[in-house]
Amino acid sequence: KFEDGFPNLFVEDATDLQNKHVAFLATFNSPGVIFEQLSIIYALPRMFVASFTLVLPFFPTGTAERMEDEGDVATAAILARILSNIPLSQSGPTKLVIYDIHALQERFYFGDSVLPFFQTGIPLLKRRLLDLEDAHNITIAYPDEGAWKRFHNMFIGYPE
């Protein structure tokens, strides 16, 4: 870090990335790390990479995707706007892979310069649940109604 606290970032062996397909596994688990990671995310496509894929295991602002009262800030739309401005790689737009996004309509928050691709880890979770000793004694709970709406169809056969 610089004396003022801003990150002093460097990509080791950056020239080795030229003409390579590059994937970056980001973790936006706290606001303090988002700027550092965005700095690298924005820099990588400009290093003449063949293609760029950004993987987000979760979309941290996903539950703030709508306004209910005047003055509410839909931070999901803001983060989508920031990610939509990732520079193009040699092959074009960034592939943006997001796992278990809160609401599928968030796909439309992103601009045309990224290709949002929503994935789910639910099949992996279900396989793991079946491996448990007491797999017959599992109940699925959801943190809110939005999560229930989004995921309950993936847990048919489990009590909720």
Side-chain angles (χ1 to χ4, degrees), residues 16-75:
D16 292 344
L17 298 176
Q18 291 177 3
N19 301 310
K20 301 276 179 26
H21 300 284
V22 175
F24 185 86
L25 176 60
T27 176
F28 290 176
N29 61 329
S30 72
V33 301
I34 293 175
F35 179 73
E36 288 180 9
Q37 290 185 55
L38 282 174
S39 297
I40 298 295
I41 289 165
Y42 272 56
L44 287 170
R46 293 179 180 260
M47 294 179 184
F48 298 100
V49 300
S51 67
F52 184 60
T53 301
L54 173 61
V55 179
L56 285 174
F58 68 99
F59 193 64
T61 57
T63 55
E65 84 275 6
R66 64 184 173 275
M67 294 175 51
E68 294 181 4
D69 295 309
E70 194 61 45
D72 284 348
V73 177
T75 54

